[in-house]
């Protein structure tokens, strides 16, 4: 059976100070920032560090996330767990169909309708309590695979 989830799109990592953490990843591993943006709805400032292109025309990233509001999901999670790996995101060509299929297997999604993710992507999440303790994000990249233009948005 081939999966409609065709790449690890990104691993989301919660951090207290985005600039300091970006510098750590650059100095330690040599990873450069590909894209930064603020997502007001999710309450985060984020940096995407591109690791590699993938066979489905997309790419895999590390996503560093700094909370911009105390009531954001990331701030709440960090208050309990500190910094660290927060979620894993799988890439797909069709987030609506994949989410519906998985919900049909009895796993809760977090949103009724997909929302906006990094670089113009369309996203949903699966509840970690239904997914063996892992917060899973499903990502459909924007047309063009990696979101087109980059920089601060
Ligand atoms: C919470 N839990 C987790 C977890 N967050 N387990 C694994 N990984 C995580 N990241 C567990 C808690 O330990 C708890 O388990 C239970 O789930 C309920 O958690 P809670 O602390 O009471 O918090 P809730 O229920 O208010 O919220 C959890 C929930 C929330 C996953 C629903 O964080 C959420 O809506 N997340 C989706 C949005 C998000 O994460 N945005 C930030 C990334 P126990 O056993 O104690 O009951 S934004 C992003 O990623 C974007 C922009 C992008 O990629 O493009």
């Amino acid at each position: 059976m081939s999966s409609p989830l065709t790449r690890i799109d990104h691993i989301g990592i919660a951090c207290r100070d985005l600039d300091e953490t970006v510098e750590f990843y650059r100095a330690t591993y040599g990873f450069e920032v590909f894209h930064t943006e603020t997502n007001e709805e999710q309450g985060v400032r984020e940096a995407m560090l591109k690791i590699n292109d993938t066979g489905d025309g997309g790419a895999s990233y590390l996503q560093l996330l700094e909370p911009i509001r105390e009531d954001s999901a990331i701030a709440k999670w960090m208050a309990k767990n500190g910094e660290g790996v927060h979620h894993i995101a799988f890439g797909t060509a069709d987030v609506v169909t994949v989410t519906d299929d998985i919900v049909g297997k009895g796993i809760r999604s977090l949103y009724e309708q997909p929302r906006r993710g990094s670089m113009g992507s369309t996203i949903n999440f699966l509840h970690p309590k239904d997914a063996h303790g892992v917060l899973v994000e499903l990502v459909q990249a924007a047309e063009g695979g990696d979101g087109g233009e980059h920089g601060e948005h």
Side-chain angles (χ1 to χ4, degrees):
M1 187 182 85
S2 76
S3 175
L5 304 169
T6 50
R7 65 181 177 279
I8 293 178
D9 186 274
H10 65 265
I11 295 169
I13 298 171
C15 63
R16 289 201 180 81
D17 183 320
L18 186 64
D19 299 334
E20 193 183 292
T21 309
V22 159
E23 177 51 22
F24 173 85
Y25 276 79
R26 195 199 60 73
T28 309
Y29 309 116
F31 297 145
E32 302 285 349
V33 173
F34 181 75
H35 173 86
T36 58
E37 70 180 78
T38 297
N39 186 323
E40 296 287 347
E41 181 181 41
Q42 294 288 343
V44 295
R45 197 161 79 88
E46 61 173 72
M48 297 296 272
L49 315 180
K50 189 167 173 177
I51 307 302
N52 58 272
D53 291 311
T54 53
D56 60 2
S60 294
Y61 303 86
L62 294 182
Q63 179 186 55
L64 304 179
L65 297 157
E66 178 195 84
I68 57 169
R69 290 198 310 268
E70 280 312 307
D71 64 349
S72 62
I74 288 287
K76 190 173 173 189
W77 184 85
M78 279 211 303
K80 206 162 142 185
N81 303 285
E83 295 184 309
V85 174
H86 176 259
H87 66 270
I88 181 164
F90 297 129
T92 177
D94 184 350
V95 72
V96 171
T97 300
V98 165
T99 305
D100 286 351
D101 285 352
I102 294 174
V103 168
K105 296 175 185 177
I107 295 151
R108 285 170 291 170
S109 66
L110 296 184
Y111 307 140
E112 281 285 319
Q113 300 293 331
R115 295 189 184 176
R116 187 186 171 285
S118 299
M119 301 185 287
S121 62
T122 310
I123 63 171
N124 209 326
F125 287 89
L126 305 177
H127 201 292
K129 302 313 278 185
D130 293 351
H132 288 264
V134 178
L135 176 60
V136 172
E137 182 179 335
L138 305 171
V139 180
Q140 180 178 336
E143 282 300 311
D146 64 6
E149 59 182 85
H150 298 287
E152 180 79 44
H153 295 285

